[in-house]
Amino acid sequence: MAVKPSRSEKKILYDKKLCALLSQYSQVLVVHADNVGSNQLQKIRTGLRGDSVILMGKNTMMKRSVKLHAEATGNEAIMNLVPLLVGNVGLVFTKGDLKEVSEEISKYKVGAPARVGLVAPIDVVVPPGNTGLDPSQTSFFQVLNIPTKINKGTVEIITPVELIKKGDKVGSSESALLAKLGIRPFSYGLVVLSVYDNGSVFDPEVLNLTEDDLIEKFATGISMVTSLSLAVSYPTLAAAPHMFTNAYKNVLSVAVASEYSFPQAEKVKEYLKDPSKYAVAAAPAVAADSGAAPDASAKVEEKKVEEEEDSDEDMALNLFE
């Protein structure tokens, strides 16, 4: 007959197991395990088998093991797990993609009835329609102020009713009514509370960010850095193009308002003296942006100009011959 290990031996074995997992894995999901049964937990273990390991235990034992591991390895970053071990929680050690593991965990939710005294995790709304209950059951609806009518010998709910609000405790009347209607409004499973990754701790909402979200946030950050740099006149890589452009505008303004000039200002001055030249230069760009094809008259004029240029070149060549 096998001898059962003592309480102290169990603690030693648990410490070794948790410390081994902390050494082997750098990613940990802290999950909430209220109302999760052993059979349901076994299914989750099976679904995660391969890259992930679930470890449950008392918070005091887990905190103790984490501290022992930190002292033995000198890895102080692992201590960031200790404040997260509050309530009925467990640890999911994984080497896989954190988002995929989180999604896999969320698949194993089981419907549950509204038991008396439970705190509602969601709003519970009773839909309108025929309940199938006989008229003698109307007292349940009257106690809860649910409007009903008798239709073909059964009780029918007239309008949808918010029976329980999120965060409220389930009363005996609400529980009995939902049981009679066959409604199991709640679903329970492991819920990811926090994510630990190589010493960093963040909320699980971060796992839902897409590449587009990251690019958008990065662009917003660059924009803020640029605005701050321009406001305090501090050069940064993000603000440099704007600073050069602003500097060019300032020097150009001086050149336009005075006799001073430089190569990059000559064309601007020329356009200011004769705006028609700018209109001619800008016309091809406007046509390209609009996508409109040049009309027939424009093509004829262009051809005449080309012919005149060709004839001028021929005359010049004849003079030199």
Side-chain angles (χ1 to χ4, degrees), residues 34 38 72 74 82 95 104 134 143 149 184 186 191 202 209 224 230 240 244 247 249 251 270 275 303 319:
D34 274 354
S38 58
V82 174
K95 292 183 179 179
E104 183 68 23
D134 59 81
V143 170
K149 67 178 181 180
R184 298 166 65 90
F186 305 146
V191 179
F202 47 88
L209 292 176
M224 294 176 66
L230 293 175
F244 281 116
K249 289 179 180 179
V251 176
E270 187 178 345
K303 187 173 182 180
L319 290 174

Side-chain angles (χ1 to χ4, degrees), residues 50-68:
D51 292 332
S52 305
V53 177
I54 301 176
L55 183 66
M56 308 299 291
K58 293 182 178 180
N59 293 343
T60 52
M61 291 180 64
M62 288 192 286
K63 290 178 180 179
R64 177 175 175 273
S65 298
V66 171
K67 291 176 181 178
L68 289 174

Side-chain angles (χ1 to χ4, degrees), residues 287-302:
D289 291 340
S290 63
D295 54 14
S297 60
K299 288 183 178 180
V300 171
E301 291 296 330
E302 185 178 351

